[in-house]
Amino acid sequence: MKVLVPVKRVVDYNVKVRVKSDGTGVDIANVKMSMNPFDEIAVEEATRLKEKGAVTEVIAVSCGVTQCQETLRTAMAIGADRAILVDTTEELQPLAVAKLLKALVDKEQPQLVILGKQAIDDDCNQTGQMLAALLGWPQATFASKVEVADGKVTVSREVDGGSETLSLTLPAIITTDLRLNEPRYVTLPNIMKAKKKQMDTYKPEELGVDVTPRIKTLKVSEPPKRSAGVKVADVAALVDKLKNEAKVI
């Protein structure tokens, strides 16, 4: 069984994000970039399924600029067998990424697509669901446990009232949550091996996909700074401030 794992190159989660002075977006010049943490969990889960013998091949995919090759090399160091880069300098929005992934699914014919539930840069949480809709495949989002057997995949996921278990017939789409696993530490030997693994490159036009943005960002701004707390003498003063200043009661 073949598994496709999309990975995204994002600003590292340890970096304090700064907005450009003109408000057109986030400043990523000279900023450390890394794999989206949820996608890292997806690569780890696909690798574990391969180690269990449920999967025969893991293919990592990334859509974006040429530097995404570094992210793909990391995915291959974790355990992906080969990689595909869709090289473009266009701003890629969730629907465009979903269409690119659909074209690659049609090309590679995987039985399972595992991807992070959302990216930590835009927090859209849309690509997996859109891909499932385009393909007409069953989907299980926010997976906290995945088991594959007998042409089916069983997924446990957390919901507001507790947890639920879904049984999907392959082929299927799964998006990963934080509790699914803890990605392994990438060792130097595996990093060296990843350099020798196959990486194919396509352009969106070769896949027959128009990635022109449909949504325009008008302005990006930092959240307002929180004002300092105020000490009150007694409960009556607290109620007065909540009622007359904060106007929350």
Side-chain angles (χ1 to χ4, degrees):
M1 186 172 78
K2 195 184 288 187
V3 177
L4 199 72
V5 186
V7 296
K8 186 176 183 181
R9 179 177 180 263
V10 298
V11 175
D12 190 87
Y13 67 92
N14 287 312
V15 174
K16 179 174 172 53
V17 175
R18 299 186 185 280
V19 175
K20 291 179 181 176
S21 57
D22 58 2
T24 56
V26 172
D27 187 3
I28 58 171
N30 302 314
V31 170
K32 182 184 177 185
M33 308 291 281
S34 60
M35 188 189 303
N36 179 46
F38 290 104
D39 296 340
E40 198 171 354
I41 291 168
V43 177
E44 174 66 26
E45 190 62 25
T47 302
R48 291 186 186 188
L49 290 172
K50 188 179 78 168
E51 290 170 349
K52 289 177 184 175
V55 168
T56 54
E57 187 180 26
V58 177
I59 307 165
V61 178
S62 192
C63 306
V65 295
T66 307
Q67 290 90 327
C68 289
Q69 289 182 4
E70 300 165 16
T71 309
L72 290 170
R73 294 291 178 199
T74 302
M76 290 191 285
I78 293 172
D81 298 291
R82 58 188 175 92
I84 298 173
L85 171 64
V86 181
D87 192 356
T88 177
T89 55
E90 283 275 7
E91 177 199 347
L92 292 176
Q93 294 171 353
L95 181 58
V97 176
K99 287 180 177 179
L100 290 170
L101 292 176
K102 179 186 182 296
L104 291 173
V105 167
D106 292 340
K107 194 180 196 65
E108 294 289 341
Q109 296 293 308
Q111 285 73 51
L112 191 61
V113 179
I114 306 178
L115 62 164
K117 69 173 184 177
Q118 65 193 72
I120 62 170
D121 54 359
D122 56 21
D123 275 336
C124 281
N125 179 23
Q126 294 175 344
T127 306
Q129 293 89 326
M130 287 178 170
L131 178 60
L134 291 171
L135 289 168
W137 287 9
Q139 62 175 308
T141 57
F142 305 169
S144 56
K145 186 178 180 183
V146 175
E147 293 178 352
V148 178
D150 303 322
K152 291 191 174 182
V153 56
T154 304
V155 176
S156 299
R157 62 192 298 271
E158 293 183 8
V159 292
D160 290 341
S163 63
E164 69 177 5
T165 303
L166 304 176
S167 179
L168 312 178
T169 303
L170 295 174
I173 308 287
I174 295 173
T175 70
T176 62
D177 207 347
L178 279 173
R179 290 178 180 80
L180 181 57
N181 62 53
E182 186 175 336
R184 67 194 66 188
Y185 178 76
V186 180
T187 61
L188 183 59
N190 285 338
I191 293 172
M192 300 307 292
K193 288 176 186 175
K195 291 181 179 180
K196 298 179 181 178
K197 291 184 179 179
Q198 177 184 344
M199 185 184 298
D200 300 318
T201 303
Y202 297 99
K203 293 286 186 183
E205 308 83 65
E206 295 176 71
L207 299 172
V209 178
D210 178 15
V211 296
T212 305
R214 293 167 176 247
I215 301 170
K216 183 180 179 182
T217 302
L218 301 179
K219 186 181 179 183
V220 178
S221 59
E222 291 188 15
K225 291 183 178 179
R226 293 179 61 180
S227 56
V230 177
K231 285 185 178 181
V232 293
D234 51 34
V235 174
L238 173 62
V239 171
D240 178 64
K241 284 186 176 291
L242 291 174
K243 191 173 184 179
N244 299 316
E245 291 185 23
K247 300 188 184 301
V248 294
I249 59 173

